[in-house]
């Protein structure tokens, strides 16, 4: 009798668990069945040759990761909040767990965070990274164009974000490069963020969808018709869209100034180098 009672209670527990599982299945929205909804779908390898993977040693000595994108052979663009004590850039990568001959790992010699970046409001969240050596342009490594200073990309357009960020709130970072289609929203959709500035930032991602850029995607590009229009900046902790991207066009004059100054310094250093002599005096 005792064993029959325990078997009956076990059956009862099993039935309750099954009922609970069925209830959870019905409660889950259909989109939740695929984890790639947050970080989209895997990119075709090397189809986005401008993408850069950043390995960062923070000021406190921790290891962090961000995305970025190559805008010239000497410079990668990313977010200012990705600043660190030391940054190594990997170009030509797809799967970060499988090293390929296409990889180019280059140290960053100088970090140019925007001088007006505000760690509290997240405004002016943009940074340029000067590479120690020029990137070699190949089928797997290339640059992406930036908008003109007068460009003001409007809401309603469908663009893409790409990165190695998390594929879900509780998921680890993705090993492979992924991309997601996102709609540009009007500024009202970003009222949730008290410091949002539509002139300096872009509101990205339909609140009625579950697609979003997420942790680890920071610094990656917003791609609209082959042009980098934004930089992944910040969003909600629960990954619900929309998210905020830094609008690149207002910073084009500053970007050009940094690139020009750096080029002048490079030329000056070359001129200062003594000529090689074939024989000692």
């Amino acid at each position: 009798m005792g064993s029959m009672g325990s078997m009956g209670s076990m059956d009862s527990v099993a039935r309750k668990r099954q009922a609970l599982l069925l209830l959870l299945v019905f409660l889950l929205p259909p989109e939740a069945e695929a984890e790639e909804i947050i970080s989209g779908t895997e990119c075709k390898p090397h189809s986005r040759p401008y993408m850069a993977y950043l390995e960062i040693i923070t000021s406190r000595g921790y290891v962090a990761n961000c995305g970025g994108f190559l805008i010239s052979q000497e410079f990668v663009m990313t977010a200012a909040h990705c600043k660190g004590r030391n940054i190594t850039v990997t170009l030509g990568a797809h799967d970060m767990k499988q090293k390929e001959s296409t990889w180019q790992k280059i140290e960053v010699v100088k970090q140019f965070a925007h001088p007006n970046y505000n760690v509290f409001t997240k405004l002016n969240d943009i940074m340029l990274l000067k590479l120690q050596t020029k990137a070699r342009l190949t089928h797997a490594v290339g640059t992406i164009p930036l908008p003109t200073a007068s460009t003001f990309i409007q809401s309603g357009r469908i663009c893409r974000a790409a990165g190695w960020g998390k594929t879900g709130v509780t998921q680890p970072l993705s090993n492979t490069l992924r991309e997601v289609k996102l709609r540009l929203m009007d500024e009202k959709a970003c009222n949730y963020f008290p410091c949002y500035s539509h002139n300096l930032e872009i509101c990205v991602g339909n609140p009625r969808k579950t697609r979003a850029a997420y942790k680890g995607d920071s610094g990656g590009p917003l791609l609209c018709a082959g042009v980098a229009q934004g930089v992944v900046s910040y969003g909600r902790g629960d990954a619900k869209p929309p998210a905020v991207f830094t609008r690149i066009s207002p910073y084009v004059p500053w970007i050009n100034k940094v690139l020009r100054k750096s080029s002048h310094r490079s030329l000056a250093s070359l001129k200062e180098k003594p000529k090689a002599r074939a024989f000692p005096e």
Side-chain angles (χ1 to χ4, degrees):
M1 289 291 291
S3 61
M4 287 288 289
S6 62
M7 285 177 66
S9 63
M10 285 172 69
D11 287 344
S12 174
V13 169
R15 282 196 297 273
K16 283 178 182 176
R17 281 179 179 167
Q18 189 175 17
L20 181 60
L21 285 170
L22 285 169
L23 180 63
L24 284 171
V25 168
F26 284 118
L27 286 175
L28 279 172
E31 296 93 338
E33 291 175 3
E35 67 178 14
E36 68 267 15
I37 289 299
I38 286 182
S39 291
T41 55
E42 185 175 335
C43 294
K44 181 183 175 184
H46 312 303
S47 60
R48 302 207 175 276
Y50 41 79
M51 289 299 297
Y53 182 86
L54 275 51
E55 295 171 275
I56 304 157
I57 305 298
T58 69
S59 57
R60 294 184 178 181
Y62 299 116
V63 177
N65 299 101
C66 275
F69 46 104
L70 194 67
I71 61 167
S72 78
Q73 284 182 267
E74 294 181 282
F75 278 93
V76 165
M77 183 174 286
T78 186
H81 75 261
C82 294
K83 191 174 175 66
R85 185 193 301 167
N86 184 66
I87 300 179
T88 303
V89 170
T90 303
L91 303 169
H94 174 68
D95 186 338
M96 295 311 301
K97 293 292 184 187
Q98 292 187 7
K99 189 173 181 180
E100 298 177 81
S101 60
T102 55
W103 283 25
Q104 295 179 40
K105 290 194 87 162
I106 308 173
E107 294 293 323
V108 169
V109 289
K110 184 139 189 188
Q111 302 172 44
F112 296 88
H114 193 275
N116 295 328
Y117 169 60
N118 188 308
V119 69
F120 301 108
T121 66
K122 300 290 192 293
L123 287 172
N124 310 302
D125 190 10
I126 188 168
M127 179 165 65
L128 294 171
L129 304 175
K130 173 77 183 289
L131 302 177
Q132 188 173 52
T133 57
K134 282 187 178 183
R136 286 178 291 102
L137 301 183
T138 66
H139 78 281
V141 175
T143 60
I144 187 169
L146 301 181
T148 62
S150 59
T151 302
F152 193 87
I153 194 160
Q154 300 294 333
S155 57
R157 287 190 61 170
I158 301 294
C159 298
R160 292 173 186 265
W164 288 269
K166 288 190 173 188
T167 55
V169 177
T170 59
Q171 300 297 317
L173 295 176
S174 174
N175 293 331
T176 55
L177 183 64
R178 302 171 77 83
E179 62 181 70
V180 60
K181 286 183 182 178
L182 297 167
R183 182 178 293 277
L184 308 192
M185 308 302 294
D186 61 31
E187 56 187 307
K188 289 179 184 176
C190 276
N191 281 345
Y192 176 88
F193 305 106
C195 298
Y196 176 78
S197 168
H198 201 56
N199 289 329
L200 298 175
E201 297 170 320
I202 309 174
C203 188
V204 181
N206 190 335
R208 288 177 290 184
K209 303 284 185 180
T210 53
R211 296 188 180 102
Y214 198 52
K215 292 177 182 177
D217 291 320
S218 286
L222 178 70
L223 310 158
C224 305
V227 176
Q229 295 284 356
V231 181
V232 180
S233 182
Y234 66 97
R236 292 169 52 136
D238 58 8
K240 287 182 181 176
V244 178
F245 287 56
T246 301
R247 191 183 291 273
I248 292 174
S249 56
Y251 300 97
V252 167
W254 170 75
I255 293 164
N256 289 335
K257 185 179 176 183
V258 172
L259 267 59
R260 267 197 315 271
K261 277 189 175 180
S262 182
S263 297
H264 290 157
R265 284 197 195 102
S266 297
L267 287 169
S269 64
L270 284 171
K271 287 175 183 175
E272 287 167 10
K273 284 183 180 178
K275 292 179 181 178
R277 291 186 174 90
F279 301 99
E281 291 181 351

